[in-house]
Amino acid sequence: MSNAFHDKVAVVTGGSAGIGHVTARKIAEGGGTVYITGRDQDAVTAAAADIPGDVIGVRADSRSADDLDRLFAQVERRSGRLDVLVVNAAAIATAPLGTITENVIRTVFDVNITGTIMSVQKALPLLADGGVVVLTGSMAAHKASRGRSLYAASKAGIRALARTWALELTPRGIRVNVVSPGPTDTPGIAQLAATAEEREALIATMGTGTPMTRAATAAAPRPANRSTRCAARSPAGPPCTS
Ligand SMILES: NC(=O)c1ccc[n+]([C@@H]2O[C@H](COP(=O)([O-])OP(=O)(O)OC[C@H]3O[C@@H](n4cnc5c(N)ncnc54)[C@H](OP(=O)(O)O)[C@@H]3O)[C@@H](O)[C@H]2O)c1
């Protein structure tokens, strides 16, 4: 098991599901303390309990300044500092031009831009010099996809914010980076489809433009047991002993 996060304190916003939840699991597996957020108390509590290690679920809506203040106050009280901030919570919406409403504009930009700015700014006093900020962007910032102009624009904004913040935080040795996942099968993607069949079709379509011609999964890879490993080997190979 990796020790990469030994003694580190991390916050993963939107860590109660999908990519954020797997990210939190990796940090906990590496020995770190992780605070995960989401808007639903029960979901956040269950998601924290699902990860072995020092994982704390905090209900916090990234659009709410009060919620973020409570989150970072809790981190300060319990852990005293923050080393890693992963700003991952986002709103994914489909709205082709001509159908875009004020409500959907506000939802996407409130979470993806305002929420990201507030999350980073409110974490700053607690963030240790030499710490790390990771913003979850998207391939959508570079690649057109029908109906996703608002989401794409918000994720392009994330890249712009990160470049400037990286410059501004250099004196404190804080690195700011963006990860840009490709299409990934997560609860957030599933909720864009009305039925299980639609979801299967959506996931299949999303993967077609990728080198592997399939969407990624947000599930943490679990070590295969011996019989699974052996079954995956060629019968023509040496006897399977491990
Ligand atoms: N899946 C993809 O194909 C894909 C591709 C590229 C980039 N991304 C990016 O990767 C990140 C995670 O995506 P995902 O697909 O894993 O999403 P997801 O399955 O929908 O999970 C989103 C997480 O964020 C939380 N969340 C949503 N709105 C929030 C808010 N206002 N405040 C706090 N937490 C909030 C959700 O919990 P609650 O709903 O309970 O609040 C959940 O924990 C996002 O930034 C997304 O844009 C995803």
Side-chain angles (χ1 to χ4, degrees):
M1 189 178 285
S2 144
N3 220 12
F5 291 95
H6 174 67
D7 212 22
K8 300 290 183 197
V9 180
V11 165
V12 180
T13 71
S16 65
I19 293 169
H21 192 238
V22 177
T23 304
R25 185 185 294 277
K26 284 286 167 199
I27 295 170
E29 280 175 2
T33 291
V34 199
Y35 296 80
I36 60 172
T37 72
R39 291 163 300 174
D40 183 290
Q41 182 66 64
D42 291 345
V44 120
T45 304
D50 184 54
I51 303 176
D54 193 19
V55 184
I56 304 98
V58 182
R59 198 210 64 75
D61 187 330
S62 298
R63 296 168 295 186
S64 160
D66 288 349
D67 282 6
L68 292 170
D69 283 338
R70 269 196 312 101
L71 164 68
F72 293 116
Q74 183 170 346
V75 176
E76 183 167 27
R77 260 195 325 274
R78 189 174 180 275
S79 300
R81 64 167 206 289
L82 180 64
D83 301 294
V84 179
L85 173 67
V86 182
V87 183
N88 169 79
I92 308 174
T94 305
L97 188 62
T99 70
I100 295 171
T101 61
E102 188 181 342
N103 186 41
V104 76
I105 299 170
R106 290 198 190 286
T107 301
V108 170
F109 283 89
D110 274 0
V111 185
N112 301 7
I113 294 294
T114 311
T116 296
I117 297 168
M118 288 201 303
S119 298
V120 175
Q121 193 158 271
K122 286 183 178 291
L124 264 191
L126 203 54
L127 200 58
D129 289 358
V132 173
V133 175
V134 177
L135 311 182
T136 308
S138 172
M139 283 304 294
H142 320 273
K143 199 162 179 242
S145 171
R146 283 190 173 76
R148 300 275 162 75
S149 60
L150 294 178
Y151 178 71
S154 72
K155 292 298 183 176
I158 296 281
R159 280 177 58 82
L161 292 170
R163 283 203 193 92
T164 310
W165 291 342
L167 200 63
E168 291 176 353
L169 294 176
T170 304
R172 290 186 54 194
I174 295 172
R175 287 171 289 139
V176 183
N177 285 289
V178 174
V179 291
S180 294
T184 308
D185 187 357
T186 63
I189 294 300
Q191 54 93 30
L192 295 174
T195 63
E197 290 73 30
E198 266 186 37
R199 179 180 165 279
E200 289 300 319
L202 176 65
I203 300 295
T205 314
M206 283 169 58
T208 52
T210 69
M212 295 291 285
T213 64
R214 63 167 175 77
T217 62
R222 292 181 192 279
N225 61 30
R226 183 176 175 281
S227 59
T228 312
R229 286 197 302 274
C230 290
R233 298 222 185 138
S234 160
C240 183
T241 54
S242 59

